[in-house]
Amino acid sequence: MAVKTQYLPSYEELHVPELKLSFPALRAASHYLGYFCDNQCKEFMLCRSENRDDPRPCINEGKEVTSCGLDFFNKLKSSPCASSFTSYWKCLDNAEYMEFRYCRQFQKVFDQCMEEHLNMKKPEPGHFTKIRLHDSPRPKVEVELPEPIPVIKPMATEPKTKVYNTQGWSN
C-alpha cells in the first residue's frame, strides 16, 4: 500500500524494452546469460539488499540488467549460433518437464558454437553457487547494527526459600 507522500516512479521512468522470450528460450540460454550479465545482476541485488528490498531506488540498476539481457540476445541472434540455439530451446520446449537431459545432443552443438563463435565458455557446474566477490563502484552504505543484547549475569546462589509440600513446610 502506498501513501500520498511516498515517491512513486512515473511510467516513463519504469518503461524499458522487454525481453520478449519464452521460458524455454530463457532456460536454454540461462548459463550464458547469467555469466554475461553477472556484474549487472550483482549490482542490482546489492542495491535491493541495501535498500531493504525497496525497489524504487534500484530502477536504473534494474534497467541495466534488462539492457544487458537484450545485448546478449542480440549478439546471439546475429551470430551463427542462432540456429543451434533455436534447435536447443525447441527441444527443451518439447522435452518432458523441460529437463536438460533430454536435449544433450542439441546442447552440445550450442555449447560448441558459443565457444567457437562468441568466445563464451559455459560456466562449470556450481559456478553460480560459489562465493564471488563483487567490487561495486557505488559508495559503501553504512549499516546500522542493532543494539547488543545485554549480558545477563548468573544469579547468585540464594538460600532456599520455604516451600510447602504435602507433608508440611520444608527448606
Side-chain angles (χ1 to χ4, degrees):
M1 174 182 264
V3 182
K4 283 185 179 182
T5 58
Q6 278 183 321
Y7 162 74
L8 291 176
S10 67
Y11 179 75
E12 290 77 28
E13 285 179 274
L14 296 174
H15 184 70
V16 64
E18 295 180 13
L19 285 171
K20 295 181 181 179
L21 294 169
S22 63
F23 180 68
L26 288 170
R27 185 165 169 83
S30 61
H31 297 98
Y32 295 102
L33 178 62
Y35 196 74
F36 188 80
C37 299
D38 194 36
N39 284 329
Q40 291 85 348
C41 291
K42 285 180 184 173
E43 197 64 35
F44 175 70
M45 295 310 293
L46 179 64
C47 179
R48 289 290 304 264
S49 69
E50 287 175 350
N51 291 290
R52 300 181 190 217
D53 293 327
D54 182 7
R56 293 174 294 176
C58 307
I59 291 171
N60 292 330
E61 287 83 356
K63 286 181 179 181
E64 286 295 318
V65 172
T66 305
S67 174
C68 181
L70 285 169
D71 290 346
F72 171 77
F73 282 108
N74 285 333
K75 269 187 179 181
L76 182 58
K77 186 178 178 181
S78 63
S79 77
C81 302
S83 60
S84 61
F85 173 66
T86 303
S87 301
Y88 181 38
W89 76 255
K90 283 186 177 182
C91 177
L92 278 177
D93 193 25
N94 295 318
E96 184 179 343
Y97 302 114
M98 212 175 297
E99 288 188 26
F100 292 116
R101 65 184 168 143
Y102 297 113
C103 302
R104 293 292 185 212
Q105 70 274 17
F106 295 103
Q107 182 182 13
K108 184 177 180 182
V109 172
F110 176 59
D111 289 344
Q112 288 171 344
C113 185
M114 290 294 285
E115 189 171 349
E116 184 179 321
H117 295 285
L118 293 176
N119 296 324
M120 290 185 76
K121 242 186 150 163
K122 183 177 175 182
E124 72 276 357
H127 170 76
F128 295 106
T129 61
K130 293 178 183 173
I131 294 175
R132 296 168 289 126
L133 298 179
H134 175 66
D135 188 20
S136 177
R138 298 174 335 139
K140 191 173 183 178
V141 175
E142 294 297 323
V143 179
E144 292 180 27
L145 296 174
E147 289 293 320
I149 299 172
V151 177
I152 300 173
K153 295 178 182 174
M155 291 177 39
T157 6
E158 297 177 11
K160 291 185 181 179
T161 56
K162 290 186 176 182
V163 179
Y164 180 76
N165 59 28
T166 54
Q167 282 84 29
W169 290 98
S170 67
N171 284 340

